[in-house]
Amino acid sequence: MISLRARLAELALPLLGIKRFFSQLDRMDERLAKMRQAKSPRPAAKWQKRFRIEEDTSRSYPLVTLTPLGGAKPHAPHLLYFHGGGYVMDIAALHWEAIASLCDRLGASASVPIYPLAPEVTVTTTLPAMRALYDELAGELGAENIAVGGDSAGGGMALALVQDLKRDGRPLPGSLVLFSPWLDATASGEGMDAIEPRDKMLAPSGLEACGVRYAGGLPLDDPRLSPLFGDLSGLPPVAVFAGTSDILVSDARRLREKLGSLGEPPAVYREAERMQHVWMLLPIPEGRAALDETAAFLRHVHVKDAL
């Protein structure tokens, strides 16, 4: 049985208008233009009591870094986190709460790129920029000390980045965390249409439309957009979280099946009954439990590797 707060969140989600955004394709560009006028949020003031929060604008995008005021704990990973939003929407306050809460649990630092959005900037520019950032962090901290993570589209970006590194024979991060990952830009996974009436946030047609805007003319099954169709062998330890009321559970299930067929199943696979898209970020007991489990996974991987 899900918590009362989760049931209330389920009732409240339609009021946010996210489902309308992904369902009313004729108004998507109009709504994106309006979103661009809003100020990009940053971590709430309360986190300044626990972290040094810095913003570097020397790149083509802002990079926000969170560092515990007393310094990161020994062996705590450095989190490189890519936010979701269909590649077209900015980071949200909920992202910052989850990122800061996860770092607080671990005593860890984090780098959060406010990457350029589609359709203004597409995958052939964005993914190399994120690769350059990873290479910079890996050179400074050691690849094995980095945890790459992301939610929704950010989860797809995280997996695509790891595949890019593997293809070039570069050192991989120590771990990979995927929250409700969007791994197939074609939005054609089996079972999506049956789940869609229960999904309070997403619609397959809207996902595909966002994929087209991010693709910049590439086929939607290109692994840079749809890492589910790329090389999945030899990944670092991976944790996957999904919900049964999220159409993207289809992507998570296919990833689990493909990794299992390679003899490399996810180290953690958590599919929560009746949970909505990115429930791990929501202020509900189930979301807090997911962050607890993520922190335990990261401690196990990174502390073990450091010994």
Short mmCIF file of all heavy atoms in Angstrom, two decimals, residues 214-249:
data_model
loop_
_atom_site.label_atom_id
_atom_site.label_comp_id
_atom_site.label_asym_id
_atom_site.label_seq_id
_atom_site.Cartn_x
_atom_site.Cartn_y
_atom_site.Cartn_z
N TYR A 214 15.28 17.43 -29.53
CA TYR A 214 16.64 17.21 -29.06
C TYR A 214 17.52 16.57 -30.14
O TYR A 214 18.73 16.77 -30.16
CB TYR A 214 16.59 16.32 -27.82
CG TYR A 214 17.92 16.05 -27.14
CD1 TYR A 214 18.75 17.09 -26.73
CD2 TYR A 214 18.32 14.74 -26.87
CE1 TYR A 214 19.96 16.83 -26.08
CE2 TYR A 214 19.52 14.48 -26.22
CZ TYR A 214 20.33 15.53 -25.84
OH TYR A 214 21.52 15.27 -25.19
N ALA A 215 16.90 15.82 -31.04
CA ALA A 215 17.65 15.05 -32.04
C ALA A 215 18.35 15.93 -33.06
O ALA A 215 19.42 15.57 -33.57
CB ALA A 215 16.71 14.08 -32.76
N GLY A 216 17.75 17.06 -33.41
CA GLY A 216 18.37 17.91 -34.42
C GLY A 216 18.54 17.22 -35.74
O GLY A 216 19.54 17.47 -36.46
N GLY A 217 17.62 16.34 -36.10
CA GLY A 217 17.68 15.66 -37.39
C GLY A 217 18.22 14.24 -37.32
O GLY A 217 18.11 13.49 -38.30
N LEU A 218 18.79 13.83 -36.20
CA LEU A 218 19.25 12.44 -36.06
C LEU A 218 18.06 11.50 -35.95
O LEU A 218 16.99 11.89 -35.46
CB LEU A 218 20.10 12.29 -34.80
CG LEU A 218 21.49 12.92 -34.78
CD1 LEU A 218 22.13 12.71 -33.42
CD2 LEU A 218 22.38 12.35 -35.87
N PRO A 219 18.20 10.25 -36.37
CA PRO A 219 17.14 9.27 -36.15
C PRO A 219 16.90 9.10 -34.65
O PRO A 219 17.85 9.12 -33.86
CB PRO A 219 17.69 7.99 -36.76
CG PRO A 219 18.79 8.41 -37.67
CD PRO A 219 19.36 9.67 -37.09
N LEU A 220 15.66 8.92 -34.27
CA LEU A 220 15.35 8.84 -32.85
C LEU A 220 15.89 7.58 -32.17
O LEU A 220 15.97 7.54 -30.94
CB LEU A 220 13.83 8.93 -32.63
CG LEU A 220 13.19 10.29 -32.91
CD1 LEU A 220 11.72 10.25 -32.55
CD2 LEU A 220 13.89 11.40 -32.13
N ASP A 221 16.27 6.58 -32.95
CA ASP A 221 16.85 5.38 -32.35
C ASP A 221 18.37 5.44 -32.27
O ASP A 221 19.02 4.47 -31.89
CB ASP A 221 16.40 4.12 -33.09
CG ASP A 221 16.80 4.11 -34.55
OD1 ASP A 221 17.40 5.10 -35.03
OD2 ASP A 221 16.52 3.10 -35.24
N ASP A 222 18.95 6.61 -32.61
CA ASP A 222 20.39 6.80 -32.44
C ASP A 222 20.73 6.64 -30.95
O ASP A 222 20.06 7.24 -30.11
CB ASP A 222 20.80 8.19 -32.94
CG ASP A 222 22.30 8.40 -32.96
OD1 ASP A 222 22.92 8.37 -31.88
OD2 ASP A 222 22.86 8.62 -34.05
N PRO A 223 21.75 5.85 -30.59
CA PRO A 223 22.06 5.63 -29.17
C PRO A 223 22.38 6.89 -28.38
O PRO A 223 22.24 6.90 -27.16
CB PRO A 223 23.27 4.69 -29.22
CG PRO A 223 23.13 3.96 -30.51
CD PRO A 223 22.55 4.98 -31.47
N ARG A 224 22.78 7.96 -29.06
CA ARG A 224 23.01 9.21 -28.34
C ARG A 224 21.71 9.77 -27.77
O ARG A 224 21.72 10.50 -26.78
CB ARG A 224 23.68 10.24 -29.26
CG ARG A 224 25.13 9.93 -29.58
CD ARG A 224 25.66 10.80 -30.68
NE ARG A 224 25.14 10.41 -31.98
CZ ARG A 224 25.48 10.98 -33.15
NH1 ARG A 224 26.36 11.98 -33.14
NH2 ARG A 224 24.97 10.55 -34.27
N LEU A 225 20.60 9.43 -28.41
CA LEU A 225 19.27 9.82 -27.96
C LEU A 225 18.58 8.69 -27.22
O LEU A 225 17.80 8.93 -26.29
CB LEU A 225 18.39 10.20 -29.15
CG LEU A 225 18.89 11.29 -30.10
CD1 LEU A 225 18.18 11.16 -31.43
CD2 LEU A 225 18.64 12.64 -29.50
N SER A 226 18.85 7.48 -27.68
CA SER A 226 18.18 6.28 -27.18
C SER A 226 19.22 5.25 -26.77
O SER A 226 19.46 4.27 -27.47
CB SER A 226 17.26 5.69 -28.26
OG SER A 226 16.26 6.62 -28.65
N PRO A 227 19.89 5.46 -25.64
CA PRO A 227 20.98 4.55 -25.25
C PRO A 227 20.53 3.12 -25.01
O PRO A 227 21.37 2.22 -24.95
CB PRO A 227 21.53 5.20 -23.98
CG PRO A 227 20.41 6.06 -23.45
CD PRO A 227 19.70 6.56 -24.68
N LEU A 228 19.23 2.89 -24.91
CA LEU A 228 18.74 1.52 -24.80
C LEU A 228 19.16 0.69 -26.00
O LEU A 228 19.30 -0.53 -25.90
CB LEU A 228 17.21 1.54 -24.68
CG LEU A 228 16.53 0.23 -24.30
CD1 LEU A 228 16.93 -0.21 -22.89
CD2 LEU A 228 15.01 0.38 -24.37
N PHE A 229 19.39 1.34 -27.15
CA PHE A 229 19.76 0.63 -28.37
C PHE A 229 21.27 0.63 -28.61
O PHE A 229 21.75 0.20 -29.65
CB PHE A 229 19.06 1.27 -29.58
CG PHE A 229 17.55 1.32 -29.42
CD1 PHE A 229 16.85 2.47 -29.75
CD2 PHE A 229 16.84 0.24 -28.93
CE1 PHE A 229 15.47 2.54 -29.60
CE2 PHE A 229 15.46 0.29 -28.78
CZ PHE A 229 14.77 1.44 -29.11
N GLY A 230 22.02 1.15 -27.64
CA GLY A 230 23.47 1.16 -27.74
C GLY A 230 24.09 -0.03 -27.03
O GLY A 230 23.41 -0.96 -26.58
N ASP A 231 25.42 -0.01 -26.91
CA ASP A 231 26.16 -1.09 -26.26
C ASP A 231 25.96 -0.98 -24.74
O ASP A 231 26.35 0.00 -24.12
CB ASP A 231 27.64 -0.95 -26.62
CG ASP A 231 28.49 -2.05 -26.01
OD1 ASP A 231 27.93 -3.00 -25.41
OD2 ASP A 231 29.74 -1.97 -26.13
N LEU A 232 25.39 -2.02 -24.16
CA LEU A 232 25.10 -2.02 -22.73
C LEU A 232 26.04 -2.92 -21.94
O LEU A 232 25.86 -3.08 -20.73
CB LEU A 232 23.65 -2.45 -22.51
CG LEU A 232 22.58 -1.50 -23.06
CD1 LEU A 232 21.20 -2.15 -22.99
CD2 LEU A 232 22.59 -0.18 -22.32
N SER A 233 27.02 -3.47 -22.60
CA SER A 233 27.95 -4.35 -21.90
C SER A 233 28.98 -3.53 -21.14
O SER A 233 29.32 -2.41 -21.51
CB SER A 233 28.66 -5.27 -22.89
OG SER A 233 29.46 -4.51 -23.80
N GLY A 234 29.48 -4.10 -20.06
CA GLY A 234 30.58 -3.51 -19.34
C GLY A 234 30.28 -2.21 -18.63
O GLY A 234 31.19 -1.39 -18.41
N LEU A 235 29.03 -1.99 -18.24
CA LEU A 235 28.69 -0.77 -17.51
C LEU A 235 29.21 -0.85 -16.08
O LEU A 235 29.42 -1.95 -15.55
CB LEU A 235 27.17 -0.58 -17.47
CG LEU A 235 26.44 -0.39 -18.80
CD1 LEU A 235 24.94 -0.23 -18.54
CD2 LEU A 235 26.99 0.78 -19.57
N PRO A 236 29.41 0.30 -15.44
CA PRO A 236 29.72 0.27 -14.00
C PRO A 236 28.49 -0.21 -13.23
O PRO A 236 27.40 -0.34 -13.80
CB PRO A 236 30.03 1.74 -13.69
CG PRO A 236 29.29 2.51 -14.72
CD PRO A 236 29.33 1.67 -15.96
N PRO A 237 28.63 -0.50 -11.94
CA PRO A 237 27.45 -0.88 -11.15
C PRO A 237 26.35 0.16 -11.31
O PRO A 237 26.58 1.35 -11.18
CB PRO A 237 27.99 -0.92 -9.72
CG PRO A 237 29.45 -1.20 -9.87
CD PRO A 237 29.86 -0.50 -11.13
N VAL A 238 25.13 -0.32 -11.59
CA VAL A 238 24.03 0.59 -11.91
C VAL A 238 22.83 0.32 -11.00
O VAL A 238 22.51 -0.83 -10.70
CB VAL A 238 23.62 0.47 -13.40
CG1 VAL A 238 23.25 -0.94 -13.77
CG2 VAL A 238 22.49 1.43 -13.75
N ALA A 239 22.21 1.40 -10.56
CA ALA A 239 20.96 1.32 -9.79
C ALA A 239 19.86 1.96 -10.62
O ALA A 239 20.03 3.07 -11.15
CB ALA A 239 21.10 2.04 -8.45
N VAL A 240 18.74 1.27 -10.74
CA VAL A 240 17.62 1.73 -11.55
C VAL A 240 16.37 1.78 -10.68
O VAL A 240 16.04 0.80 -10.01
CB VAL A 240 17.37 0.80 -12.75
CG1 VAL A 240 16.24 1.34 -13.64
CG2 VAL A 240 18.64 0.61 -13.58
N PHE A 241 15.68 2.92 -10.71
CA PHE A 241 14.44 3.09 -9.97
C PHE A 241 13.33 3.48 -10.94
O PHE A 241 13.54 4.36 -11.79
CB PHE A 241 14.59 4.17 -8.90
CG PHE A 241 15.54 3.82 -7.79
CD1 PHE A 241 16.91 3.92 -7.97
CD2 PHE A 241 15.06 3.38 -6.56
CE1 PHE A 241 17.79 3.61 -6.96
CE2 PHE A 241 15.94 3.06 -5.53
CZ PHE A 241 17.30 3.17 -5.73
N ALA A 242 12.16 2.85 -10.82
CA ALA A 242 11.04 3.15 -11.70
C ALA A 242 9.74 2.91 -10.95
O ALA A 242 9.73 2.33 -9.86
CB ALA A 242 11.10 2.27 -12.96
N GLY A 243 8.63 3.38 -11.53
CA GLY A 243 7.32 3.21 -10.91
C GLY A 243 6.35 2.60 -11.89
O GLY A 243 6.42 2.87 -13.10
N THR A 244 5.40 1.82 -11.41
CA THR A 244 4.50 1.11 -12.30
C THR A 244 3.43 2.01 -12.91
O THR A 244 2.74 1.60 -13.84
CB THR A 244 3.81 -0.06 -11.58
OG1 THR A 244 3.01 0.45 -10.51
CG2 THR A 244 4.82 -1.04 -11.03
N SER A 245 3.26 3.24 -12.40
CA SER A 245 2.31 4.18 -13.00
C SER A 245 3.03 5.22 -13.85
O SER A 245 2.50 6.30 -14.10
CB SER A 245 1.48 4.87 -11.91
OG SER A 245 0.62 3.96 -11.28
N ASP A 246 4.21 4.89 -14.31
CA ASP A 246 5.03 5.75 -15.16
C ASP A 246 5.24 5.03 -16.48
O ASP A 246 5.71 3.88 -16.50
CB ASP A 246 6.37 6.00 -14.45
CG ASP A 246 7.38 6.77 -15.28
OD1 ASP A 246 7.04 7.24 -16.38
OD2 ASP A 246 8.53 6.91 -14.81
N ILE A 247 4.91 5.66 -17.60
CA ILE A 247 5.08 4.98 -18.88
C ILE A 247 6.54 4.61 -19.12
O ILE A 247 6.83 3.66 -19.87
CB ILE A 247 4.53 5.82 -20.06
CG1 ILE A 247 5.22 7.18 -20.16
CG2 ILE A 247 3.02 5.95 -19.97
CD1 ILE A 247 4.81 7.97 -21.41
N LEU A 248 7.47 5.31 -18.50
CA LEU A 248 8.88 5.00 -18.71
C LEU A 248 9.35 3.78 -17.94
O LEU A 248 10.52 3.39 -18.08
CB LEU A 248 9.75 6.22 -18.36
CG LEU A 248 9.64 7.37 -19.37
CD1 LEU A 248 10.54 8.53 -18.97
CD2 LEU A 248 9.98 6.90 -20.78
N VAL A 249 8.47 3.14 -17.18
CA VAL A 249 8.84 1.86 -16.60
C VAL A 249 9.15 0.87 -17.71
O VAL A 249 9.93 -0.08 -17.51
CB VAL A 249 7.72 1.34 -15.66
CG1 VAL A 249 6.51 0.86 -16.45
CG2 VAL A 249 8.26 0.22 -14.76
#
